[in-house]
Amino acid sequence: MTTAAPGRTLTLRETGPATRGTRPDEVVVVVSPAFAGSFTKTIVDVPHAEVLRQLLAGIEEQGVTARVVRVWDTADLAAISHTGAKLSGSGIAVGMLSRGTTMIHQRDLPRLSNLELFPQSPLLDAPVFRQIGSNAAQYAKGESPQPVPTRNDQMARPRWQAKAALLHLKEFECIRAGQPPVEVEPVFGRAG
Amino acid sequence: MTAVEPQQSVRTGVLEGRPVNLDGFVEEWPEKGLVAMESDFDPAPGIRVEGGRVVELDGRARADFDFMDTFIADHAIDVASAEESTAIPSAQIARMLVDPGVSRGEVLAVTRGLTPAKILDVVKLMNVVEIMQAMQKMRARRTPANQAHSTSARDNPVQVAADAAEGALRGFAELETTLGVVRYAPLVAIALQVGGQVGRGGVLTQCALEEATELELGMRGITAYAETISVYGTESVFVDGDDTPWSKAFLASAYASRGIKMRFTSGTGSEVQMGNAEGRSMLYLEIRCILMAKGAGVQGLQNGSISCIGVPGAVPGGIRAVAAENLVASMVDLECASGNDQSFSHSAMRRTARLMPQLLPGTDFVCSGFSAVPNADNMFAGSNFDTEDYDDWNTIQRDLQVDGGLRHVREPEILQARDRAARALQALFAHLDLPPVTDAEVEAATYANSSADYPPRDVLADLKGAQAVMDRGVTGLDLVRGLETTGFSDVAQNLLQVLRQRVSGDLLQTSAVLTADFTPLSAINDANDYAGPGTGYRLSGERWEELKKLRHVTSAEDPEREVG
């Protein structure tokens, strides 16, 4: 389990309605209603500040730009990610739930199909988020990267399943029905 | 820093280090359905029938029914007896369930008219011992059995064949597999089928996949049964999965049309896990799933929480609710494959305690998947029991004189079966022009524990081979022909017998399995006849002699010798 250097904070400042991007070399990072708001860290305490920083770094390292969007009206990962993909100039998005569950999606795929899915949120740490960002950027460039190796832990269920359900229910409570996605600007800071 | 941290005692430190403290526990949250079975938000029982039609169900008028209510009202509840049965005091029905003097048939005459809330009201009165007592009588088949997972972390078909042969030999009546890389499925399903028929004829196999592919493999005769047909207790979760009760019933009829054994899958916790429990308890929603299975006309259900076991396991009384859900499946006359098939706890004691309500009374399948491979190879994400637990399981059967469906097998027999399974697969792959199985792989399969003990296969070639199986329309009969041609006549015969069951349709009876001589045992010809002490299934005779055998037993005649 990885915990990032303490003290980094993240605020997602809304800048307006999310629009369809035109740059063919961008990845949309799309987050769920409670991300960096009601919740501040993943199920295994990776701070959202660290998650987003690593994702953006992974994307930038590939020479691709990123936009961040928040979805308000659903906490369904496939719906969130596909919404992001449709807004993305390249058609590629990385969608995330507050507990850390992540998906790389592409505009032309069916909603319940996707490019890469990382269902076991307790196994996702900072380096994995960086790789996910990097892969998403490579898809955006039209490349076919090796999928990020999936980890498996047969004891993840007894340890984390119920907490995941609880976090999911809490995230559901942050849904604002009918509210369209918004463009956000990540503001990183230092606490204390 | 001047404050002194209170020191932890050594004893607390030891307790903190115990595996049980790695398990996740959460508080109840009944408003959101995060509660096992005691919730004020569940509806009160009630039913009103007018003109042969249910017009009110558990406090909801027909105009307000969701599609689960409609399906259950129209297909699962016997309208002729519904008002009368639902009016019987719940305590009286609970007593009927526990009382050995009341026959299973008499209980079924009442339960077929009960509403979901009424069933919950009945089982809520029962403690876990009473649930077990009732299960002993209410399970459909007299003879208990067990079911296993046979998978490979590398999707290696040679491993799957060898482990299936060993699993069959150890007593599993059904074997199932699934994949890491889905495209591998045809090869692994073939390997499971072939291996299963080597260990002992008549073992039924399935490959858990996306529903259309699973159906196709079944229709081709490459698999023999199916159980990965998930149903849910709320309309919203069904809708999220692009499904309805009617679409699932249609799928069930597609299997039945080809004589393929099939059951649904459900279990407590899935609706809350998906965030749509609609404020109802886990068990209430599971009872709706059970009645949905009943209404769809399927013969059985895999329940016992299954892949959401972490959720009921984390809340108070959750494992009692899981035992109750198994009982409810049995008390509405469905086959019950009773769970114990997903990693549930870090604690060996808790793992065993969760098993007891199924193992002691016996169920149609005690596990819906005992891992017949090491858990690291288990592509269902790990089971409550795996290959390392074989000797413990056998010892518990012997200690308590209960039949958990397994037996100890001496190593020479196991090695022979594993070797033969791998050779049969080698011959069949060569015959079908599929990627070769080398002698080194056969050798590895004979002595292996896990996928790590096998030489790596050419995955790309295998995936092409798997695609070829589908493109060329290979069927179960092609496998029979290939095995016969290459000198594995006995295996071919066994597989042919399994395929012939499609035509007779005997496997469509509730709780049907095949014995080693291909006699179908089901609720029809092996009905549970428990009626108190000394009756029903008893562990005696040849089977008891078999279960007395363990790996190490000192000979009474010659204490310097071990008998096995």
Side-chain angles (χ1 to χ4, degrees), chain B residues 10-208:
Chain B
V10 177
R11 184 161 301 158
T12 299
V14 168
L15 281 172
E16 281 295 346
R18 296 283 290 174
V20 71
N21 285 314
L22 289 171
D23 291 352
F25 303 105
V26 299
E27 281 186 316
E28 293 166 308
W29 188 8
E31 292 83 350
K32 292 289 172 184
L34 196 53
V35 61
M37 62 196 285
E38 311 278 355
S39 169
D40 294 338
F41 297 93
D42 286 330
I47 194 156
R48 212 156 53 77
V49 177
E50 270 175 20
R53 194 155 169 261
V54 176
V55 294
E56 193 185 308
L57 180 66
D58 293 337
R60 214 183 270 185
R62 190 158 188 114
D64 304 321
F65 280 4
D66 64 16
F67 68 31
M68 293 294 298
D69 293 324
T70 306
F71 190 87
I72 289 168
D74 291 351
H75 302 289
I77 294 177
D78 174 38
V79 287
S81 62
E83 287 185 321
E84 198 185 330
S85 294
T86 301
I88 301 173
S90 296
Q92 192 180 325
I93 301 173
R95 280 172 182 274
M96 289 174 74
L97 280 161
V98 174
D99 183 353
V102 180
S103 73
R104 181 171 193 271
E106 289 170 84
V107 178
L108 294 181
V110 169
T111 56
R112 67 172 65 104
L114 300 182
T115 71
K118 181 69 176 184
I119 292 174
L120 178 66
D121 206 47
V122 170
V123 295
K124 254 172 31 176
L125 294 169
M126 301 170 78
N127 67 27
V128 75
V129 177
E130 290 153 356
I131 289 168
M132 287 160 70
Q133 169 69 12
M135 183 55 122
Q136 178 160 245
K137 176 169 80 188
M138 295 311 299
R139 75 160 186 270
R141 195 190 332 105
R142 188 175 194 264
T143 313
N146 210 340
Q147 197 234 58
H149 292 156
S150 193
T151 60
S152 163
R154 293 185 186 167
D155 299 318
N156 185 332
V158 192
Q159 178 190 9
V160 170
D163 281 328
E166 179 174 337
L169 201 57
R170 285 182 178 274
F172 294 108
E174 290 183 350
L175 297 168
E176 65 170 323
T177 194
T178 192
L179 288 303
V181 176
V182 176
R183 284 175 293 158
Y184 239 120
L187 293 194
V188 172
I190 289 172
L192 184 74
Q193 180 73 277
V194 169
Q197 302 312 316
V198 168
R200 110 161 160 51
V203 169
L204 304 179
T205 65
Q206 80 137 349
C207 184

Side-chain angles (χ1 to χ4, degrees), chain B residues 253-274:
Chain B
S253 66
Y255 281 103
S257 73
R258 296 298 190 279
I260 303 168
K261 176 174 178 172
M262 200 278 286
R263 48 181 178 257
F264 282 169
T265 297
S266 63
T268 54
S270 59
E271 297 84 5
V272 66
Q273 181 81 39
M274 291 154 114

Side-chain angles (χ1 to χ4, degrees), chain A residues 76 99 111-112 120 152-173, chain B residues 22-24 29 32 34 242 272-275 307-311 314 342-346 375-376 380-382:
Chain A
D76 178 292
R99 66 178 183 274
R111 187 165 61 88
L112 293 177
Q120 293 203 36
N152 182 36
D153 173 9
Q154 74 245 16
M155 282 301 153
R157 182 185 296 113
R159 180 80 184 96
W160 298 109
Q161 187 171 35
K163 188 173 179 190
L166 189 58
L167 292 174
H168 195 55
L169 293 172
K170 293 279 182 194
E171 179 125 87
F172 253 67
E173 297 208 314
Chain B
L22 289 171
D23 291 352
W29 188 8
K32 292 289 172 184
L34 196 53
D242 289 339
V272 66
Q273 181 81 39
M274 291 154 114
S307 57
C308 291
I309 185 68
V311 180
Q342 297 276 292
S343 296
F344 150 75
S345 173
H346 296 76
N375 256 343
F380 291 98

Side-chain angles (χ1 to χ4, degrees), chain A residues 2-141:
Chain A
T2 305
T3 310
R8 199 187 298 275
T9 63
L10 169 65
T11 314
L12 295 180
R13 205 164 55 80
E14 297 197 4
T15 58
T19 51
R20 171 86 183 261
T22 49
R23 298 186 56 145
D25 65 336
E26 72 168 1
V27 169
V28 167
V29 174
V30 52
V31 301
S32 58
F35 190 93
S38 302
F39 291 138
T40 59
K41 55 193 183 178
T42 72
I43 192 167
V44 288
D45 298 340
V46 183
H48 287 161
E50 183 66 10
V51 170
L52 193 58
R53 198 179 71 88
Q54 294 289 352
L55 269 173
L56 296 177
I59 294 167
E60 280 163 23
E61 280 165 5
Q62 293 292 329
V64 170
T65 57
R67 282 193 297 142
V68 185
V69 166
R70 184 196 297 285
V71 164
W72 277 116
D73 69 345
T74 177
D76 178 292
L77 181 61
I80 290 171
S81 309
H82 203 234
T83 298
K86 285 185 285 186
L87 292 171
S88 167
S90 69
I92 300 294
V94 177
M96 269 190 305
L97 299 179
S98 298
R99 66 178 183 274
T101 318
T102 301
M103 180 184 278
I104 307 178
H105 218 318
Q106 182 171 26
R107 186 171 52 214
D108 306 327
L109 290 172
R111 187 165 61 88
L112 293 177
S113 197
N114 58 69
L115 288 172
E116 294 187 45
L117 169 64
F118 307 89
Q120 293 203 36
S121 54
L123 304 177
L124 303 183
D125 56 16
V128 173
F129 286 114
R130 201 176 189 102
Q131 285 179 58
I132 292 171
S134 167
N135 267 25
Q138 289 176 62
Y139 290 117
K141 290 193 288 185

